[in-house]
Amino acid sequence: MRRLFGSVRSRATLGATLVVAVALVAAGAAVLLSLRSNLIEQAGNEAERTAQNVVAQLAAGKAYDQLDLDDDSPVQVVDAQGTLVAASGELERISGTATDAVQPQPQKGSTSGEDGDDDADDDSAVGEAGEIGEGTEFSDGSATIDGESADYRFAAVSVEAGERGPLTVYAGGSLDAEQSAVNTALTVMLIGFPLLLGVVAGVTWLVTRRALRPVEGIRGEMAAITASEDLARRVPVPDTHDEVARLALTTNETLAALQTSVERQRSFVADASHELRSPIASLRTQLEVGVAHPELLDLDGAVEDTVRLQGLATDLLLLARLDAGERPGDARFDLGALAREQAEGRAGVTVEAQDATVAGSRGQVGRVLTNLLDNARRHARSAVTLTVRTEGEWVVAAVADDGDGVAEADRERIFERFVRLDEARSRDDGGAGLGLAIARDVAVRHGGTLTVGRAPAGGALFELRLPPAQ
């Protein structure tokens, strides 16, 4: 069962069919009840009219045997003692009225005071002769007329018949029309509802299939992209403005971001391999020369290459941790004190640092200041200034030098990995081009920014902005 209704199309079809089925059953039940109620009311009205006609004759003083009774409808006239005194001629059986009798009982004539029965003519015990009762009572039953049995709606109307006392007339209205109409409607519903549900299920299946066709196209293209590992491909975007089109657009945006990330990683690996090759090759060469000619071994050069290799490996490891989404933490520390600590022992560096508390990784922020100071010392002519201040909603650490500065066109490019603006500078002097990239990544992950502009002395001005600790 789970596999049968495992697809969206199957579940949508089942859901729509069930909803329509419930609605049809509710509507059908309401229609049948309303139809039955209306037809029963019509039968009751017909019975009441027949009873009122007989009551009018009794009120006019007609004898029982002279009453004009409809032989097609069951009619009974019952006295106060429940005795049948008149009935329609073709009536053979009846139920649902005051008496089951179908043959009237013979009545003895009587006059006022006969046999000393004065109470029968006491005007205080009976109503005025010819008075018809106001209310009509209804009941359901059955009757057999001329050999044909049927269900009826009976109406009971009372009348004061003078010397004959109070009488009650029972007249029936046939319920055949109600039963026939209800049965016909029920048959139509039993036949039509399954057909309608079949149509609803079929239409829902086809419409859902058409609606999900673009999704299948997206899935197929994603499967092809995964198999081919070609992230330059994109999924088809349907010419609509619905959720599926937005899904396709978002998928393409995700693919573009993934392609950019993969290309960046590939470039990073290639650049890292290239950067590592030089110090490793230099170190190997020196060691091979030292093995062959110990007197020519340049230990200082080997140590420098080892240190440079160690620094490069440290930078690559930090970048890998940042790319993996390492959180900076929420430790609180004084950025001014950290700035003074990082500038200590550096020649030509002037520090003007206010106390300002920030939150994050003290080690990573210290690495940012170290990279900025190292970069400034490489490009400065004589002086480097490090300032820490509070500016609005930010804590700003600024590093300025008096060098040549950074051209406006290169002020964003220098934060890319392995970028060197001075290609003529040696790798030993210029580094691997990772310092500013690391500094920018750390600043962003701490909720801040790192930008470069022009210093008052004409050199470069790097500004690290971090939110203050809350």
Side-chain angles (χ1 to χ4, degrees):
M1 182 64 68
R2 182 176 299 178
R3 294 186 60 184
L4 179 62
F5 297 104
S7 66
V8 175
R9 190 188 313 170
S10 299
R11 292 196 296 270
T13 301
L14 177 62
T17 304
L18 289 177
V19 169
V20 174
V22 171
L24 288 177
V25 169
V31 169
L32 289 177
L33 291 175
S34 177
L35 177 62
R36 184 174 183 274
S37 176
N38 290 335
L39 292 175
I40 289 177
E41 184 179 358
Q42 292 180 11
N45 292 336
E46 179 184 351
E48 185 178 12
R49 285 194 298 270
T50 302
Q52 291 285 358
N53 181 37
V54 176
V55 163
Q57 297 179 53
L58 291 172
K62 273 193 176 184
Y64 297 139
D65 56 357
Q66 295 178 355
L67 293 175
D68 183 14
L69 303 180
D70 187 1
D71 290 339
D72 294 332
S73 300
V75 178
Q76 287 180 315
V77 180
V78 180
D79 62 13
Q81 288 73 36
T83 302
L84 181 66
V85 296
S88 51
E90 301 296 332
L91 183 61
E92 299 176 2
R93 184 185 62 82
I94 193 170
S95 64
T97 61
T99 177
D100 294 338
V102 295
Q103 296 295 329
Q105 300 295 323
Q107 301 295 310
K108 298 180 180 179
S110 64
T111 60
S112 178
E114 184 178 3
D115 296 331
D117 190 6
D118 295 334
D119 293 337
D121 296 326
D122 187 356
D123 291 340
S124 63
V126 296
E128 183 180 353
E131 182 180 355
I132 300 176
E134 296 182 356
T136 301
E137 297 181 359
F138 294 94
S139 61
D140 294 328
S142 62
T144 302
I145 299 177
D146 196 17
E148 295 184 2
S149 298
D151 294 329
Y152 287 87
R153 179 74 166 170
F154 291 103
V157 181
S158 60
V159 62
E160 182 58 45
E163 295 181 354
R164 292 179 288 186
L167 301 175
T168 302
V169 177
Y170 291 90
S174 177
L175 294 176
D176 282 347
E178 174 264 334
Q179 295 175 347
S180 176
V182 170
N183 290 336
T184 301
L186 181 60
T187 301
V188 171
M189 291 179 182
L190 292 177
I191 296 176
F193 281 7
L195 295 178
L196 182 58
L197 290 177
V199 172
V200 170
V203 171
T204 304
W205 179 269
L206 294 177
V207 170
T208 307
R209 177 183 180 183
R210 182 179 181 87
L212 294 178
R213 187 176 300 166
V215 177
E216 178 62 24
I218 295 174
R219 187 210 62 79
E221 185 62 23
M222 286 296 294
I225 292 173
T226 302
S228 65
E229 299 183 356
D230 182 8
L231 296 178
R233 298 173 60 174
R234 297 293 181 264
V235 300
V237 179
D239 188 19
T240 58
H241 300 283
D242 55 8
E243 292 80 358
V244 177
R246 291 194 291 272
L247 172 64
L249 292 174
T250 303
T251 302
N252 285 337
E253 292 173 359
T254 303
L255 287 173
L258 182 60
Q259 181 184 8
T260 301
S261 176
V262 170
E263 290 177 352
R264 183 180 180 183
Q265 289 297 326
R266 290 173 179 171
S267 176
F268 176 77
V269 171
D271 291 338
S273 301
H274 181 70
E275 292 295 333
L276 289 170
R277 185 182 306 165
S278 296
I280 291 176
S282 175
L283 182 60
R284 178 180 178 180
T285 299
Q286 294 181 57
L287 293 176
E288 289 177 348
V289 170
V291 171
H293 306 282
E295 70 279 3
L296 299 179
L297 178 61
D298 184 6
L299 292 178
D300 293 338
V303 171
E304 290 178 0
D305 286 340
T306 303
V307 170
R308 180 166 175 256
L309 187 61
Q310 182 181 10
L312 182 57
T314 302
D315 288 344
L316 293 176
L317 179 60
L318 178 57
L319 283 174
R321 284 161 39 199
L322 293 175
D323 289 341
E326 180 181 279
R327 294 183 176 274
D330 55 358
R332 298 162 63 92
F333 59 92
D334 185 356
L335 184 59
L338 180 62
R340 291 188 290 270
E341 178 183 325
Q342 294 297 322
E344 185 178 357
R346 292 178 180 268
V349 177
T350 302
V351 181
E352 299 176 3
Q354 301 176 357
D355 292 338
T357 304
V358 296
S361 172
R362 191 177 189 276
Q364 290 185 6
V365 175
R367 182 62 180 277
V368 173
L369 296 178
T370 298
N371 291 352
L372 294 179
L373 289 173
D374 289 343
N375 181 77
R377 286 298 305 147
R378 279 196 297 267
H379 295 85
R381 291 188 176 91
S382 59
V384 175
T385 302
L386 171 59
T387 61
V388 176
R389 65 185 187 277
T390 300
E391 185 177 294
E393 299 179 353
W394 298 98
V395 175
V396 182
V399 178
D401 62 66
D402 59 354
D404 296 331
V406 180
E408 188 173 353
D410 296 325
R411 289 179 181 175
E412 281 299 317
R413 197 167 70 89
I414 61 174
F415 293 107
E416 298 177 6
R417 300 175 183 182
F418 301 104
V419 171
R420 300 184 186 86
L421 298 184
D422 188 359
E423 296 295 342
R425 189 189 304 119
S426 67
R427 293 182 183 272
D428 294 337
D429 294 336
L434 293 177
L436 295 180
I438 291 175
R440 168 67 72 83
D441 284 352
V442 171
V444 171
R445 294 187 184 279
H446 279 73
T449 61
L450 178 61
T451 58
V452 61
R454 187 173 184 81
L461 172 64
F462 288 85
E463 289 187 332
L464 170 66
R465 296 177 180 268
L466 296 176
Q470 299 299 323

